[in-house]
Amino acid sequence: MLGACVLAAAPGLLAATPVSAAVADGPVRAAGAVSASNTAGGMLAIRYALMYPHETQQLLLVNPIGLEDWKAKGVPSLSVDQWYERELKTTADGIRRYEQATYYAGQWRADYEPWVQMPAGMCRGPGKQIVAWNSALAVSIAAG
């Protein structure tokens, strides 16, 4: 359920590449890259900066909620296929529980529901396999 965009800017270059394209075509790389990212994009930007420190000029994180170095914590990596299987199981109830625990300190109000239904609609619609695959690619990059 992660939608992210990696922004890389260098002299004469400004590229916004969807995660799925970055994975399919290899990482977006630019000498002197400047990355501005938030939430899941922040995880991708940090991973890029760690992998290519000599190509990263600046890193700006805006509200990088939930960033953890899972590798350093010893959490085992999952394959893209394993992430895909997990993403296919995403439901509105699961999204709601996650958001309630993560963003709303255990509380829930009816006016929070649109923030569940927007991503849940993508996970149950006709393109749900594509959404799940793209989410799996994004998570696998972010999780390292």
Side-chain angles (χ1 to χ4, degrees):
M1 223 185 32
L2 297 174
C5 204
V6 178
L7 298 179
L13 171 71
L14 178 61
T17 303
V19 170
S20 56
V23 171
D25 299 334
V28 175
R29 294 176 64 182
V34 176
S35 178
S37 305
N38 69 347
T39 62
M43 289 186 271
L44 296 173
I46 289 171
R47 180 69 55 207
Y48 182 92
L50 289 170
M51 290 173 65
Y52 307 105
H54 299 298
E55 296 178 8
T56 303
Q57 182 180 357
Q58 294 179 352
L59 177 62
L60 170 66
L61 300 176
V62 180
N63 194 22
I65 190 167
L67 294 181
E68 297 284 348
D69 188 348
W70 298 110
K71 216 179 249 189
K73 291 182 178 230
V75 175
S77 297
L78 296 178
S79 71
V80 173
D81 292 330
Q82 290 170 312
W83 281 116
Y84 176 66
E85 291 302 320
R86 288 179 66 161
E87 292 295 325
L88 284 174
K89 296 174 185 171
T90 300
T91 65
D93 287 338
I95 295 167
R96 190 178 300 105
R97 283 191 304 273
Y98 170 80
E99 289 188 5
Q100 183 177 7
T102 305
Y103 303 119
Y104 302 114
Q107 304 299 310
W108 192 256
R109 299 188 331 222
D111 58 327
Y112 300 155
E113 194 63 21
W115 305 114
V116 169
Q117 294 306 317
M118 284 187 286
M122 293 190 311
C123 296
R124 67 176 169 250
K128 76 180 196 174
Q129 287 83 6
I130 294 169
V131 171
W133 182 249
N134 287 338
S135 294
L137 292 174
V139 173
S140 68
I141 292 170

